[in-house]
């Protein structure tokens, strides 16, 4: 093979080398595949309007979904708390997928264990796997909290996590006072944002039980939602510091997912202190920066914590203005002058880029909250969204997004494609470019 340590080639160049081309040719002969001309003809046909109609007519098949499973979001929420080990009641294969996905995205080690359920557990239930798995996890990795979620296998069987964890504690797997929050996260419904919501509610429910005091601690809670860009979380902390706000980030995974390279391995870098998370129940208010990844969590906080819950998504000028004014209203503190100057620079940058962005047409896909925020920012820039694909969509989101599009002349041509995947988006883009 032509690859060698002295000259590492990108896979695109590598696969064009003679050895690989010969390998591909041999593979085609072995598979008795179609000739190149037929493959090219079909490839061109998949870009046609005729194929687009057939593509959009499919009902029982998903191709390249723009979403992940529930446990992925549950693990993402869990690692934002101090010393927390995600534990998945399910098979090793599922957990390997979640770990690999997050590790490859962040280029950071992402810890997560499973109860290694196999055929016998699928028939008789996974209680013994939970008892053994919690004991091994606690002894090996010394976590301060173990956050348990499930995969499809455990949900199909009907494993009762609450009862299983109680039995495991009674069996001495882990200390009785070790927090072991849990969330049922069946992968065959919802998506990663549903799992995030379920686990966040589960963790907050466990940590704050019995911690309600008669007086507020005066703090503001922030929940970022399933936001994969840790820079946003650091920016929120910077803004809060400029305000002089006493705050608590619920699930601060910025250090875990973007740890400095010190040459030493730290299994649990950063994270919200468990004591601070427990005291979040006594805060003045909670500001949530995503709506559709937190519906159960917001409902729980408003009902059980008896505090104001505000949804504010600080993307773009208008939304960031609303975010800053809400912080000022909640705390009684003025908006810092430094932020006002930065706002002016942002408006200037938008004006300077006007010629390159205004009137340009875009297709967008992603999670509901991300898409809503990006669309809002693009409308401020004069950009024109055309196709908006959100696989994990719902009626509430689509109604909210349509109202946003209707509020701007640049949103008139946009169409929301709820429940569609990236193969649908391919057909839309082919039609857009033809």
């Amino acid at each position: 093979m032509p690859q060698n340590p002295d000259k590492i080639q990108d896979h695109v160049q590598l696969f064009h080398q003679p050895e690989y081309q010969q390998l591909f040719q041999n593979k085609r002969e072995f598979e008795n595949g179609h000739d190149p001309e037929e493959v090219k003809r079909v490839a061109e046909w998949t870009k046609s309007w005729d194929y687009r109609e057939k593509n959009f007519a499919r009902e029982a098949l998903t191709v390249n979904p723009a979403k992940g499973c529930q446990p992925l979001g549950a693990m993402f929420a869990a690692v934002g708390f101090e010393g927390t080990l995600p534990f998945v009641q399910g098979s090793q294969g599922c957990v390997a997928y979640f770990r690999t996905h997050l590790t490859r995205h962040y280029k950071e080690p992402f810890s997560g264990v499973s109860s290694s359920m196999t055929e016998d557990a699928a028939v008789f239930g996974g209680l013994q796997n939970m008892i053994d798995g919690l004991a091994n996890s606690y002894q090996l990795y010394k976590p301060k909290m173990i956050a348990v979620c499930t995969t499809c296998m455990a949900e199909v069987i009907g494993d009762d996590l609450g009862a299983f964890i109680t039995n495991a504690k009674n069996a001495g797997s882990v200390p009785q006072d070790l927090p072991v929050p849990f969330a049922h996260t069946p992968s065959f419904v919802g998506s990663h944002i549903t799992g995030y919501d379920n686990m966040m509610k589960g963790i907050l429910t466990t940590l704050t039980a019995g911690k309600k005091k008669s007086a507020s601690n005066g703090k503001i809670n922030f929940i970022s939602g399933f936001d994969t860009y840790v820079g946003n979380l650091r920016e929120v902390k910077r803004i809060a510091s400029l305000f002089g706000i006493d705050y608590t980030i619920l699930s601060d995974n910025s250090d875990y997912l973007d740890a400095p390279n010190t040459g030493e391995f730290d299994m649990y870098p950063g994270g919200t202190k468990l004591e601070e998370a427990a005291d979040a129940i006594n805060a003045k208010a909670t500001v949530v920066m995503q709506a559709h990844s937190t519906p159960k969590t917001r409902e729980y906080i408003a009902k059980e914590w008896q505090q104001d819950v505000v949804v504010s998504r600080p993307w773009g000028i208008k939304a960031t203005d609303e975010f800053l004014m809400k912080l000022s209203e909640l705390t009684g503190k003025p908006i810092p002058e430094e932020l006002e100057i930065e706002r002016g620079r942002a408006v200037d940058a938008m004006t300077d880029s006007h010629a390159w962005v205004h009137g340009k047409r875009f297709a967008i896909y992603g999670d509901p909250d991300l898409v809503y925020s990006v669309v809002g920012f693009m409308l401020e820039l004069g950009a024109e969204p055309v196709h908006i694909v959100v696989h994990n969509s719902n009626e509430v989101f689509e109604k909210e997004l349509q109202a946003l599009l209707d509020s701007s002349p640049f949103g008139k041509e946009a169409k929301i494609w709820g429940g569609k995947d990236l193969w649908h988006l391919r057909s839309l883009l082919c039609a857009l470019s033809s």
Side-chain angles (χ1 to χ4, degrees):
M1 293 296 173
Q3 190 72 283
N4 67 75
D6 297 327
K7 187 178 181 181
I8 303 296
Q9 299 190 37
D10 179 79
H11 67 282
V12 175
Q13 287 79 35
L14 182 66
F15 292 158
H16 279 85
Q17 298 304 308
E19 291 87 346
Y20 278 100
Q21 290 299 308
Q22 185 61 50
L23 187 150
F24 296 147
Q25 180 61 34
N26 294 341
K27 187 169 181 287
R28 276 193 288 271
E29 292 178 4
F30 175 77
E31 295 174 338
N32 194 26
H34 294 288
D35 62 73
E37 289 301 317
E38 176 64 6
V39 173
K40 184 178 180 181
R41 184 191 69 78
V42 173
E44 288 301 314
W45 174 67
T46 62
K47 301 174 185 177
S48 68
W49 191 272
D50 176 54
Y51 179 81
R52 169 181 157 159
E53 296 302 304
K54 295 182 183 299
N55 189 18
F56 274 75
R58 61 184 162 91
E59 298 178 353
L61 175 67
T62 295
V63 183
N64 199 1
K67 65 174 184 176
C69 298
Q70 282 207 50
L72 181 77
M75 295 171 70
F76 183 82
V79 298
F81 292 90
E82 173 192 24
T84 298
L85 179 66
F87 180 106
V88 181
Q89 176 77 342
S91 69
Q92 288 182 330
C94 290
V95 183
Y97 156 67
F98 307 135
R99 278 198 307 255
T100 302
H101 187 86
L102 292 162
T103 297
R104 289 180 66 179
H105 180 78
Y106 288 104
K107 307 295 186 290
E108 300 282 355
F110 194 100
S111 300
V113 298
S114 80
S115 55
S116 300
M117 292 171 63
T118 53
E119 290 84 351
D120 56 343
V123 174
F124 301 110
L127 173 59
Q128 193 58 46
N129 296 68
M130 175 73 75
I131 293 173
D132 295 340
L134 286 180
N136 291 336
S137 301
Y138 183 72
Q139 292 298 325
L140 285 172
Y141 304 118
K142 312 297 183 189
K144 293 184 178 180
M145 181 166 74
I146 300 177
V148 180
C149 62
T150 55
T151 65
C152 301
M153 182 192 295
E155 290 297 325
V156 170
I157 300 168
D159 283 357
D160 185 341
L161 289 185
F164 280 17
I165 292 169
T166 299
N167 287 335
K169 284 190 173 183
N170 291 338
S173 296
V174 296
Q176 288 286 347
D177 60 352
L178 182 79
V180 186
F182 64 90
H184 288 276
T185 51
S187 298
F188 42 78
V189 296
S191 70
H192 55 284
I193 62 174
T194 317
Y196 176 93
D197 190 25
N198 288 334
M199 180 53 80
M200 181 62 73
K201 179 187 173 184
I203 291 174
L204 297 182
T205 301
T206 298
L207 293 180
T208 62
K211 301 296 175 64
K212 184 68 175 177
K213 298 178 181 177
S214 58
S216 169
N217 61 21
K219 291 184 176 181
I220 302 295
N221 299 324
F222 292 102
I223 299 177
S224 63
F226 193 94
D227 186 347
T228 57
Y229 183 56
V230 296
N232 288 337
L233 201 52
R234 292 205 170 104
E235 179 63 11
V236 169
K237 289 189 281 188
R238 186 184 75 90
I239 290 173
S241 297
L242 289 173
F243 262 97
I245 297 173
D246 196 3
Y247 66 91
T248 300
I249 301 286
L250 293 174
S251 190
D252 181 0
N253 53 25
S254 57
D255 286 340
Y256 189 93
L257 299 171
D258 187 27
N261 192 337
T262 62
E264 295 183 2
F265 175 67
D266 181 0
M267 191 164 179
Y268 307 108
T272 306
K273 298 291 183 185
L274 300 187
E275 294 80 5
E276 292 184 11
D279 195 37
I281 191 173
N282 300 306
K284 180 187 295 183
T286 297
V287 178
V288 183
M289 286 165 279
Q290 287 190 355
H292 301 282
S293 65
T294 58
K296 295 178 182 175
T297 301
R298 287 186 286 116
E299 181 183 13
Y300 164 75
I301 292 174
K303 181 179 179 181
E304 302 296 332
W305 294 8
Q306 297 291 309
Q307 61 183 240
D308 292 335
V309 181
V310 179
V311 175
S312 184
R313 292 170 282 207
W315 273 69
I317 297 299
K318 181 175 182 292
T320 303
D321 284 350
E322 293 172 351
F323 176 70
L324 297 179
M325 288 188 289
K326 177 55 68 176
L327 292 185
S328 180
E329 176 187 330
L330 290 172
T331 62
K333 297 175 181 291
I335 296 174
E337 183 180 0
E338 183 174 342
L339 295 178
E340 293 184 7
I341 295 173
E342 289 178 5
R343 181 188 189 279
R345 291 197 189 100
V347 172
D348 184 59
M350 292 168 66
T351 306
D352 293 345
S353 62
H354 175 271
W356 289 274
V357 181
H358 188 277
K360 298 296 186 296
R361 291 153 58 86
F362 292 86
I364 305 168
Y365 78 90
D367 288 341
D369 289 291
L370 175 64
V371 165
Y372 181 88
S373 299
V374 170
V375 167
F377 182 47
M378 293 180 74
L379 295 178
E380 289 184 338
L381 291 167
E384 298 179 9
V386 179
H387 295 304
I388 303 173
V389 173
V390 180
H391 200 156
N392 44 0
S393 181
N394 58 57
E395 291 184 5
V396 174
F397 161 70
E398 291 178 20
K399 185 176 180 181
E400 181 186 28
L401 182 59
Q402 189 60 57
L404 177 64
L405 293 168
D406 292 341
S407 68
S408 169
F410 305 114
K412 289 182 178 178
E413 292 189 33
K415 181 171 177 56
I416 304 169
W417 299 95
K420 302 302 181 186
D421 56 40
L422 296 185
W423 196 246
H424 289 113
L425 180 60
R426 178 182 182 274
S427 282
L428 294 170
L429 294 179
C430 287
L432 199 64
S433 59
S434 61

